[in-house]
Amino acid sequence: MARTAIVQDYRHPQPGQTSTFSIDEKVQREILNNGIAKPQGYTVSWHANPEVERQHFGQSHPMKPWRLTLTKQLVMAYGMHEAMDLYLSRAATHEEMQEFHGDDYLEFLQRVTPETMAAPSLSEQVPHYNIGDDCPIFDGLYSYCSLYAGASIDAARKLINNQSSIAINWSGGLHHAKKSEASGFCYINDIVLAILQLLRYHPRVLYIDIDVHHGDGVEQAFWSTDRVMTLSFHKYDKDGFFPGTGPLSSTGPLNPLNPGAHHALNVPLNDGIEDDDYIRLFRDIVGPCVAHYRPTAIVLQCGADSLGCDRLGCFNLNIRAHGACVSFVKTFNLPLLVLGGGGYTPRNVARLWAYETSICIDATLNESLPAHTPFLNHFAPDKTLFPPLSEHGKFENKNDRPYLEKLVRGIGEQLRYLEGAPSVEMQVIPPDLEGIREDVEREIEEEREAGDEKFRRERERGAGVRGELVY
């Protein structure tokens, strides 16, 4: 087959031509028609690196980083990039990832390739680190991990420095990775790394997970601290649905003297939950959690596999219902880190995360996707932002009203143990923070006093590069 010119060298535009780095007239019309503008009174930042999009888990693997390309193209087609501060994220360093992950595990990820994994020095480590069909070795693995982790770390630092009110990293949210083990398509737990950054400044962080799978890796990481409350809404079936953890009864360490007791909350759901029930349940649980725990920052994992029609999901949620959760969390006006996660039907992942980006910037989008959207045919036949996902491949709803009320009561009972707890200064600090917390807070305070944004960006630790979304 003859080689086609699908990928061409960039040529500078000739006089009269539109530059690829400017906003063309079609996007400008979308900006005007949808009222896209910088939010009033707060700042939204977008953290990404196009190298993440180019990674490939394998032809038959459900995880498709290309979904990030579709998401970005929708965001750009609507002109939403004009309403955000855009950062080209750099890779997390070995030392930054080592704040949570084991050194031997990181070295393994850095050394292993499809060609070297059979070598005697590495082959024995492959099963030890849970490498296999779910978590394969592919070219560029370590770069992929360090880039999506770097984006979450940088987003958290922008929140700490008041450079952003809402920070978005759709490439992050990989919640299954453990300290020294890959799990569920996740190798590096960027969420844990980002929360560790937030804990350098914030006394309490609330982590909310609306992926269809339990956020087990994040829960385990903060199991024994009251500095983080984890709250996961997920499908639960101990023997039949990955990862088989997260029942209502699992609420943290059993010893009541352990600071983490009652700080790991789980909302186990059955197949087929629908829009109205999910939204009501989310509000009835998240509202009291915020009121009792009084977090000073929130991290929201927006896994798209909880949508209807997902390749690995089993709920009946539509895009608007999933987005309603983001809208509700936004009403608390707390520093908010918004992350991606699961989602294995790329066209619907892109629709959802573009819509939730619009929620973050307070924009109302036209339901018809812009005609100039690249890869528009991937959204056929309807080419709309809100396809009726709950009507296709629908699961029987096995979550009746008494069961949902039981869940609300169960979470409420756990919250009663927190009465009065948030008023203390949360003296329990994860061990890896004790030695550096004071220095980091002093650096942040000095940067604030400087008042010069350019000077602050230059000195900010691990700052991402402010850049264009059009890579």
Side-chain angles (χ1 to χ4, degrees), residues 33 72 75 221-222 235 290 362 382 397 400 407 433 444 462 467:
N33 293 339
K72 180 180 71 178
V75 168
F222 298 108
K235 153 78 175 187
V290 172
D362 259 345
D382 48 34
N397 187 357
D400 57 23
L407 295 177
L433 297 180
I444 293 171

Side-chain angles (χ1 to χ4, degrees), residues 362-428:
D362 259 345
T364 302
L365 302 180
N366 190 315
E367 293 186 22
S368 296
L369 300 180
H372 57 274
T373 303
F375 314 114
L376 185 61
N377 286 337
H378 284 276
F379 302 97
D382 48 34
K383 299 179 182 178
T384 178
L385 192 60
F386 304 113
L389 302 180
S390 63
E391 297 177 11
H392 304 295
K394 189 169 183 176
F395 285 82
E396 178 187 355
N397 187 357
K398 298 180 180 179
N399 303 272
D400 57 23
R401 185 57 59 84
Y403 179 70
L404 297 178
E405 291 173 350
K406 173 188 172 184
L407 295 177
V408 174
R409 287 196 306 272
I411 297 298
E413 290 170 3
Q414 294 303 315
L415 293 177
R416 284 208 312 255
Y417 290 100
L418 271 61
E419 293 290 356
S423 64
V424 302
E425 289 300 316
M426 295 297 185
Q427 297 297 327
V428 177

Side-chain angles (χ1 to χ4, degrees), residues 6-326:
I6 294 175
V7 180
Q8 299 179 353
D9 292 335
Y10 173 76
R11 296 180 177 84
H12 288 285
Q14 300 301 312
Q17 291 182 337
T18 301
S19 169
T20 56
F21 294 102
S22 66
I23 303 174
D24 63 24
E25 293 179 354
K26 294 177 182 178
V27 174
Q28 191 63 49
R29 282 199 297 268
E30 287 293 334
I31 290 173
L32 295 174
N33 293 339
N34 292 286
I36 305 293
K38 290 274 189 180
Q40 295 296 311
Y42 69 98
T43 302
V44 178
S45 59
W46 171 284
H47 303 263
N49 191 302
E51 291 301 319
V52 177
E53 305 166 23
R54 301 180 181 127
Q55 303 305 321
H56 189 55
F57 279 61
Q59 185 172 357
S60 61
H61 198 285
M63 176 63 92
K64 307 292 183 187
W66 188 68
R67 62 194 182 149
L68 299 169
T69 301
L70 288 181
T71 301
K72 180 180 71 178
Q73 296 296 351
L74 276 184
V75 168
M76 291 168 57
Y78 276 111
M80 287 187 278
H81 54 294
E82 284 293 293
M84 299 182 285
D85 291 341
L86 310 176
Y87 292 96
L88 178 62
S89 299
R90 51 97 185 148
T93 66
H94 185 98
E95 291 73 21
E96 286 172 326
M97 292 187 285
Q98 202 175 2
E99 288 191 12
F100 173 61
H101 290 286
D103 185 56
D104 290 346
Y105 175 58
L106 292 173
E107 288 185 0
F108 168 78
L109 292 179
Q110 195 165 17
R111 293 171 55 205
V112 71
T113 67
E115 291 74 28
T116 63
M117 63 183 295
S121 60
L122 293 174
S123 61
E124 294 181 359
Q125 300 179 51
V126 168
H128 176 71
Y129 294 126
N130 200 32
I131 300 299
D133 292 340
D134 281 357
C135 300
I137 298 299
F138 54 88
D139 288 324
L141 172 60
Y142 186 79
S143 174
Y144 166 73
C145 295
S146 59
L147 284 170
Y148 75 70
S152 291
I153 290 171
D154 182 48
R157 288 174 175 166
K158 294 296 185 292
L159 295 174
I160 290 172
N161 285 310
N162 286 333
Q163 291 176 266
S164 182
S165 309
I166 300 174
I168 302 170
N169 173 25
W170 292 126
S171 69
L174 302 186
H175 57 175
H176 294 306
K178 310 304 190 297
K179 184 178 180 68
S180 294
E181 181 181 299
S183 179
F185 316 158
C186 306
Y187 303 84
I188 294 295
N189 200 314
D190 64 288
I191 307 171
V192 172
L193 296 174
I195 291 175
L196 287 173
Q197 293 295 319
L198 293 173
L199 289 176
R200 297 180 174 191
Y201 180 80
H202 291 280
R204 293 176 297 279
V205 175
L206 174 61
Y207 170 70
I208 305 171
D209 191 315
I210 54 175
D211 195 290
V212 76
H213 300 95
H214 179 225
D216 58 335
V218 183
E219 180 184 270
Q220 287 183 23
F222 298 108
W223 186 254
S224 296
T225 179
D226 56 3
R227 296 283 308 281
V228 179
M229 173 178 280
T230 60
L231 173 62
S232 179
F233 296 76
H234 53 270
K235 153 78 175 187
Y236 173 68
D237 181 344
K238 182 179 180 181
D239 300 314
F241 195 80
F242 181 86
T245 54
L248 182 63
S249 58
S250 178
T251 60
L254 296 178
N255 185 345
L257 298 179
N258 189 305
H262 314 294
H263 284 77
L265 304 182
N266 288 293
V267 185
L269 298 167
N270 300 314
D271 288 352
I273 192 165
E274 298 175 348
D275 291 356
D276 291 344
D277 287 339
Y278 195 89
I279 295 171
R280 185 184 307 110
L281 180 71
F282 187 85
R283 291 176 175 171
D284 288 348
I285 288 177
V286 171
C289 284
V290 172
H292 283 75
Y293 186 59
R294 283 186 271 172
T296 55
I298 296 177
V299 176
L300 178 60
Q301 196 266 22
C302 300
D305 48 7
S306 46
L307 290 176
C309 296
D310 187 80
R311 179 176 173 182
L312 299 184
C314 55
F315 290 169
N316 295 323
L317 299 184
N318 288 294
I319 287 170
R320 283 193 176 94
H322 200 285
C325 299
V326 179

